[in-house]
Amino acid sequence: MSVRCSTLPRMSWTRGSLAVPAVCVLLLAGSTGCGTGDAHERGDASTAASVSPSPVGKVLKDTDDEGRHYREVEKKGAPEVGVEVEPEADGSWDVRLKVENFRFTPTAAKAGVAHGRGAARLYVDDQPVADLRTPSYRIPAGYLPHGTHQVTARLCADDGTVWAVDGKAVESTAYITASEPSS
């Protein structure tokens, strides 16, 4: 049985003889950072919130919990991300990102900035798990203990700044609940 998290507020599922209720909530918001965080204050900022002018958006003084600066862009045409998490029969979790106005940059690309390009940083329970250059990832079986967990994807520009709209990171979080296998 294959059930995906969607834009519905809550959904649960079970599969085969291994019962794994899971609840996913898709929240579209902003994003917090990935990459190296190379933005520097230039001292010529026109507003108190600005760090530096940029050909793509405005780099703000605001940072995520890892110290990466936000790169503010207009809401119209801004990158967006959604997260789908689906349990697999082997106990692993399939994570799929749905993006709009965003393209994943290959690993070998230079660390420049182009509107709507970059990587996604994947977090589980606020801990970084992987930097993604593709829209899918597999959380290994046994990685998530029994309980409810947050799986968050944040979109980042290739220079390490975090794509942001209205001062908030472009990110999406799915809440999943893993239970022990039934006997």
Side-chain angles (χ1 to χ4, degrees), residues 72-101:
E72 180 81 22
V73 294
E74 295 293 321
K75 186 172 185 169
K76 184 177 181 180
E80 296 179 41
V81 63
V83 177
E84 294 180 354
V85 181
E86 185 176 306
E88 296 295 328
D90 66 356
S92 64
W93 296 83
D94 185 33
V95 178
R96 287 187 219 116
L97 306 182
K98 303 294 183 180
V99 296
E100 289 191 34
N101 303 318

Side-chain angles (χ1 to χ4, degrees), residues 104-110 117-118 133 158:
F104 291 95
T105 305
T107 304
K110 292 185 179 182
R117 296 204 52 138
R133 297 285 179 172
D158 288 319

Side-chain angles (χ1 to χ4, degrees), residues 4-119:
R4 295 182 184 175
C5 300
S6 68
T7 56
L8 297 173
R10 291 185 176 251
M11 178 179 281
S12 63
W13 61 80
T14 57
R15 60 183 155 152
S17 62
L18 178 64
V20 180
V23 178
C24 289
V25 177
L26 180 64
L27 303 172
L28 290 175
S31 148
T32 20
C34 310
T36 60
D38 291 336
H40 295 92
E41 186 166 355
R42 297 202 192 336
D44 60 349
S46 60
T47 67
S50 177
V51 169
S52 66
S54 172
V56 180
K58 182 189 332 182
V59 178
L60 307 177
K61 286 184 180 179
D62 296 336
T63 64
D64 67 4
D65 291 341
E66 295 176 284
R68 292 175 176 81
H69 288 276
Y70 290 155
R71 179 175 296 278
E72 180 81 22
V73 294
E74 295 293 321
K75 186 172 185 169
K76 184 177 181 180
E80 296 179 41
V81 63
V83 177
E84 294 180 354
V85 181
E86 185 176 306
E88 296 295 328
D90 66 356
S92 64
W93 296 83
D94 185 33
V95 178
R96 287 187 219 116
L97 306 182
K98 303 294 183 180
V99 296
E100 289 191 34
N101 303 318
F102 185 81
R103 289 184 18 173
F104 291 95
T105 305
T107 304
K110 292 185 179 182
V113 177
H115 183 74
R117 296 204 52 138

